[in-house]
Amino acid sequence: GSGGAEAEAEALRREEARLEAVREEARKEEEEEEARQEELRIKGDDLDLNAVDQEKLDAYKEQMETEFEKHAIKPGDAKWQHDVQIEFEEPEEDGGWDDGDEGDLSDDF
């Protein structure tokens, strides 16, 4: 009878609920992974902050500030030195980016 059909229907509902829970968990994991990847992009060179909206820009700036503060050496830290000056050797090859008349910026516009 109908008792078997009701039991089957209930088992099917439970299975569908389990399947939906698995799908929801997979969606959450995917969103978390996307968030981790987005966070990692800050450390890379492939992010164009000119192309993001203000909300994302503010979030990136906050993350960059946090990252900077983690690595900043401040007075009182063991590695801190006052007025560090470094002499650099002449470059082995010409960078090309600083060629030309420094006072003439009209070519840049």
Side-chain angles (χ1 to χ4, degrees):
S2 67
E6 287 176 20
E8 257 184 63
E10 180 60 29
L12 184 58
R13 278 192 293 275
R14 274 191 247 133
E15 188 61 30
E16 286 174 348
R18 266 194 297 262
L19 183 58
E20 185 56 36
V22 167
R23 286 183 185 138
E24 183 62 28
E25 184 64 27
R27 273 194 293 270
K28 285 181 186 177
E29 288 177 8
E30 187 175 327
E31 287 172 4
E32 289 171 1
E33 179 61 24
E34 286 174 3
R36 278 192 293 274
Q37 291 301 320
E38 191 77 7
E39 188 174 326
L40 287 174
R41 288 184 62 206
I42 289 176
K43 297 174 184 171
D45 294 330
D46 64 338
L47 181 62
D48 181 2
L49 292 177
N50 292 311
V52 298
D53 61 37
Q54 189 63 43
E55 186 177 326
K56 274 194 174 186
L57 179 63
D58 292 342
Y60 283 123
K61 285 182 175 182
E62 186 177 322
Q63 287 179 321
M64 287 188 287
E65 180 68 19
T66 300
E67 192 68 21
F68 173 81
E69 289 298 328
K70 275 198 276 185
H71 300 287
I73 299 172
K74 300 175 185 114
D77 292 346
K79 294 181 178 181
W80 187 80
Q81 296 176 0
H82 177 72
D83 194 26
V84 175
Q85 295 184 19
I86 300 172
E87 292 288 328
F88 292 96
E89 296 176 16
E90 286 296 316
E92 293 179 18
E93 59 185 60
D94 182 18
W97 61 268
D98 61 350
D99 289 344
D101 183 9
E102 291 182 28
D104 181 16
L105 298 178
S106 61
D107 291 344
D108 295 344
F109 298 103

